[in-house]
Amino acid sequence: MARKLVKMVTNNFILKLIAVLLAVVLWLVVVNIDNPQTTMTFTSTASIINESIITDNGKVYEVLDNSNTIKFSVTGPRTIVEGMSASDFTVVADMNKIDLDLGLVPVEVTPDRYASKVSVSLKTTNVHVSIETVKTQQFAVNATSTGTPMEGYALGSVACDPATVTITGPESIVKAIDKVTAGINVDGMYSNRNQTVVPTLYDSNGKKIVSSNMTIEPSTVQVSAQIMGTKSIPVTYEYTGAVKEGYQVESVKCLPESIEIKGSKDALNGIDELKIPSNALDLSKSVSNVEKSVSITGLLPEGVELVDGDNNNVIIKAEIVSRKARNFKVAVEDIAITNLPEGYEIDFLQKSVTVTITGERAAIDKVKAADIKLSLNIAGQHTGRFEKMPVVEDIDGVSEIKVTSVLGRVVKSESEAEEDEEE
């Protein structure tokens, strides 16, 4: 039996060996045609390991330009490679292998499965990092607000607690911090409001500073906003001193005429006007317009503030014009007589009265004699001598008019006297 088996194996051995080899080759060809080698590219984020070599020395690192985003290609049988994803690989950058001069950390990519059947080729070979000394600094927090309270209310003080925070991070970033703010939204508010806020960092150009390597202690602050009632009150004013002789104060105005104030209900109830002290505007010997800016911040009572704190001045303007006086002689015959009893007439004991008008020079120069109208009321005056002051009609642009008194007698008319004699 053994001989038969040996004979079967050795009989035409060469031909049988060739057949086996052909079968193997054919199998390899079929396998490669059905499952050929293929290459795919994957992207993953490198994990930094052994960071303590940096942090234990009081330094901190920062990945530059997103260089920890690693691209690599994987080559292997199609059925294997196409079934893989980036999560099938461990991607690390080992700080123990860092090139300190260049700031380059080599990247290693290891397949978590099919390690013997696939090969990996890196397209990104290093993570680029910057290494700096850690700096810690304390900053004041500037409390800010956005939005507008409900109509009839205004924003009072805005504050945060705590008022400072401690920031730790790369020295270059900490040095770049220009201000730290914490904002609260008061839009539509009518009562005090508190809010937990994460502080925001800005550089000197007003650009936000964001870094994963920075810590803020405490990480949040409490921002409180005070909401106050408002009230509109008039601004009243006086002036002191007399303008130079020959001039007069035409008008005095205040801009604005009223102001908006804010405060508690009790504080607002205690103020109905803002009075500017008279010594704020001194017109002594003035011959031209005077304008004075007056700060009103110190004039408000405790607990009351301006709604618009940026505009804390009012402007008082005094218009001063040249003053002139003119005298006019008015004949007594031109005086209109009223309420003279029938049958009587006036016997004037003088020929004229003097009318003195005073006012702005330009207006006084325009007045003519015909513009001056005098009248004399004789009501209740019995016969006999009298001295009365004629009444003068107002004249546009004239601020003051003085008239001298007139002397006369109320007597019977000549016709009435003749009738009495005939009787």
Side-chain angles (χ1 to χ4, degrees):
M1 187 66 177
R3 289 179 179 179
K4 286 182 178 182
L5 289 174
V6 172
K7 187 176 181 180
M8 287 178 63
V9 173
T10 57
N11 189 29
N12 297 320
F13 178 76
I14 299 300
L15 293 175
K16 292 179 179 178
L17 181 59
I18 292 172
V20 171
L21 292 174
L22 288 173
V24 171
V25 171
L26 182 60
W27 179 81
L28 291 173
V29 170
V30 171
V31 168
N32 279 283
I33 291 174
D34 186 56
N35 191 21
Q37 294 284 302
T38 189
T39 300
M40 289 184 64
T41 299
F42 297 92
T43 301
S44 183
T45 300
S47 299
I48 309 298
I49 61 174
N50 295 317
E51 299 166 291
S52 59
I53 194 174
I54 302 296
T55 56
D56 286 352
N57 289 312
K59 296 182 180 297
V60 66
Y61 72 89
E62 185 170 6
V63 175
L64 303 178
D65 304 322
N66 294 319
S67 59
N68 59 336
T69 300
I70 307 301
K71 288 187 176 182
F72 56 94
S73 58
V74 178
T75 302
R78 184 182 65 185
T79 56
I80 293 176
V81 174
E82 289 183 350
M84 301 184 81
S85 65
S87 61
D88 292 319
F89 300 86
T90 298
V91 183
V92 298
D94 191 349
M95 280 293 189
N96 278 325
K97 300 178 181 179
I98 187 173
D99 183 332
L100 291 173
D101 294 329
L102 299 177
L104 298 178
V105 184
V107 175
E108 298 176 358
V109 179
T110 304
D112 294 334
R113 57 186 185 137
Y114 305 119
S116 62
K117 297 182 179 181
V118 297
S119 61
V120 177
S121 177
L122 286 172
K123 293 187 176 182
T124 307
T125 57
N126 294 284
V127 174
H128 191 195
V129 299
S130 65
I131 298 176
E132 294 186 60
T133 302
V134 174
K135 181 177 177 62
T136 298
Q137 185 173 334
Q138 193 174 60
F139 291 87
V141 181
N142 180 31
T144 62
S145 67
T146 57
T148 304
M150 181 183 289
E151 186 176 354
Y153 295 85
L155 179 65
S157 61
V158 180
C160 68
D161 183 29
T164 61
V165 292
T166 301
I167 299 177
T168 301
E171 185 175 22
S172 63
I173 296 179
V174 174
K175 283 185 175 181
I177 299 173
D178 181 61
K179 64 178 179 180
V180 180
T181 66
I184 186 171
N185 187 353
V186 298
D187 201 40
M189 294 295 104
Y190 56 88
S191 60
N192 297 343
R193 184 176 186 184
N194 296 310
Q195 187 173 338
T196 301
V197 178
V198 177
T200 304
L201 317 181
Y202 293 92
D203 63 17
S204 58
N205 295 319
K207 184 179 180 181
K208 284 185 180 182
I209 297 175
V210 179
S211 174
S212 59
N213 286 328
M214 226 163 18
T215 59
I216 303 176
E217 183 60 38
S219 58
T220 61
V221 295
Q222 287 291 320
V223 181
S224 59
Q226 182 185 26
I227 307 298
M228 306 170 118
T230 62
K231 183 179 182 179
S232 178
I233 60 172
V235 180
T236 60
Y237 48 89
E238 296 177 352
Y239 64 88
T240 188
V243 297
K244 189 175 180 180
E245 186 176 355
Y247 294 82
Q248 69 180 40
V249 179
E250 184 72 5
S251 66
V252 180
K253 297 179 181 179
C254 180
L255 298 175
E257 295 180 344
S258 62
I259 58 171
E260 288 285 327
I261 57 175
K262 60 185 179 181
S264 66
K265 183 178 180 180
D266 290 341
L268 294 179
N269 286 338
I271 179 171
D272 293 315
E273 66 176 1
L274 177 68
K275 188 172 183 179
I276 304 298
S278 60
N279 60 8
L281 185 66
D282 187 358
L283 302 182
S284 298
K285 304 298 182 181
S286 297
V287 297
S288 59
N289 295 344
V290 177
E291 182 174 309
K292 184 71 176 292
S293 177
V294 180
S295 174
I296 58 178
T297 303
L299 303 179
L300 294 171
E302 186 177 355
V304 176
E305 305 172 32
L306 290 169
V307 170
D308 185 0
D310 294 331
N311 295 320
N312 57 1
N313 288 352
V314 296
I315 305 297
I316 303 179
K317 295 182 177 181
E319 183 182 2
I320 298 173
V321 296
S322 177
R323 182 184 176 94
K324 183 178 181 179
R326 288 177 66 189
N327 293 325
F328 291 85
K329 292 289 186 179
V330 179
V332 292
E333 291 82 2
D334 294 332
I335 299 175
I337 306 300
T338 61
N339 296 314
L340 180 65
E342 186 177 354
Y344 288 84
E345 62 184 21
I346 301 297
D347 179 20
F348 287 105
L349 302 178
Q350 62 190 69
K351 293 182 179 181
S352 64
V353 294
T354 301
V355 178
T356 303
I357 62 173
T358 306
E360 185 182 355
R361 183 175 297 274
I364 295 300
D365 287 341
K366 293 179 181 179
V367 178
K368 300 176 182 178
D371 297 327
I372 299 177
K373 308 292 185 182
L374 297 181
S375 63
L376 189 63
N377 187 355
I378 304 300
Q381 178 66 45
H382 302 291
T383 57
R385 184 169 175 164
F386 67 84
E387 181 178 2
K388 282 181 172 287
M389 186 81 68
V391 176
V392 62
E393 292 183 5
D394 290 338
I395 304 172
D396 289 343
V398 176
S399 59
E400 184 180 2
I401 302 177
K402 294 182 179 179
V403 185
T404 58
S405 60
V406 60
L407 292 173
R409 294 180 301 176
V410 178
V411 297
K412 286 185 178 181
S413 63
E414 292 182 2
S415 59
E416 186 70 21
E418 290 176 355
E419 290 181 0
D420 289 344
E421 290 177 359
E422 291 177 356
E423 292 178 357

